[in-house]
Amino acid sequence: MPPIKLEIEGKKYVAYLEQSEGEKTRSFRPKKNTVVYVLTGNEGVTDILYSDSTLQRNFSDMGHIFLTRVEAERELVYRQALQRVKEWIYEQNAGKEWKVGTENYSVYWNEVFVIEHWLNNKCFSPFGYLNSREACRQLIREMDSDLRIIFNV
């Protein structure tokens, strides 16, 4: 078989079908009639008996189903903290889209919160990029506890 040629964000990749032929696809989907925990909009976390319905498969594919209550509650707290940080960034008009050659700021944890300045290299940020070093400082000051949840510290 010929190689598969891909271009993602300007980088070229080559994949060979033989590399993945022997691999089994894995699915997180629980077995039918298993009690699972679901993130819901109004109840937070609720337990259900998994019946492998279309709706439940969709919830599983979206990452809303967990095997334990602890996992589900931890994820809910993470998602809520991430949402509060995103809302803060929006309300402060502090966010920006990544653009090569422009000032792109992000915050990450390395024993303390660190502000990183990116011009050409794109580094993952769970809540996107900020438009200034001062916006990052203010985010750290005002959203410290939520940032600690997001970075699991």
Side-chain angles (χ1 to χ4, degrees):
M1 290 235 125
I4 300 166
K5 297 179 180 179
L6 304 169
E7 186 170 334
I8 302 170
E9 293 184 5
K11 294 183 180 178
K12 294 182 180 184
Y13 300 89
V14 177
Y16 296 90
L17 187 58
E18 306 85 60
Q19 291 174 324
S20 58
E21 279 181 342
E23 295 177 14
K24 289 183 178 180
T25 56
R26 291 190 215 174
S27 174
F28 170 76
R29 287 200 188 118
K31 292 183 177 139
K32 199 171 181 176
N33 297 322
T34 301
V35 173
V36 295
Y37 301 87
V38 182
L39 298 183
T40 62
N42 53 359
E43 297 173 27
V45 175
T46 188
D47 59 321
I48 63 166
L49 188 63
Y50 189 80
S51 64
D52 201 36
S53 68
T54 301
L55 179 63
Q56 291 176 348
R57 283 193 303 274
N58 288 341
F59 277 2
S60 179
D61 291 345
M62 291 186 296
H64 298 317
I65 291 183
F66 299 86
L67 295 177
T68 68
R69 180 173 291 280
V70 171
E71 287 177 306
E73 289 173 347
R74 186 179 299 136
E75 181 66 17
L76 179 61
V77 168
Y78 169 81
R79 290 183 189 186
Q80 289 171 335
L82 186 58
Q83 184 62 28
R84 285 189 297 268
V85 167
K86 287 180 177 183
E87 287 173 3
W88 183 94
I89 291 169
Y90 177 79
E91 290 166 0
Q92 301 298 317
N93 197 27
K96 72 176 298 280
E97 287 291 320
W98 168 268
K99 188 170 180 188
V100 173
T102 66
E103 295 180 342
N104 305 284
Y105 292 91
S106 63
V107 173
Y108 69 93
W109 178 263
N110 186 11
E111 303 299 320
V112 295
F113 286 112
V114 177
I115 298 170
E116 191 63 64
H117 178 241
W118 306 96
L119 282 173
N120 298 313
N121 298 326
K122 189 173 186 179
C123 185
F124 173 75
S125 172
F127 41 79
Y129 301 92
L130 285 85
N131 56 26
S132 71
R133 189 173 298 280
E134 184 51 41
C136 291
R137 285 187 193 109
Q138 187 177 351
L139 174 67
I140 293 167
R141 278 192 307 271
E142 295 182 23
M143 303 301 290
D144 179 81
S145 59
D146 283 329
L147 290 172
R148 287 178 183 276
I149 291 168
I150 292 167
F151 290 104
N152 196 27
V153 294

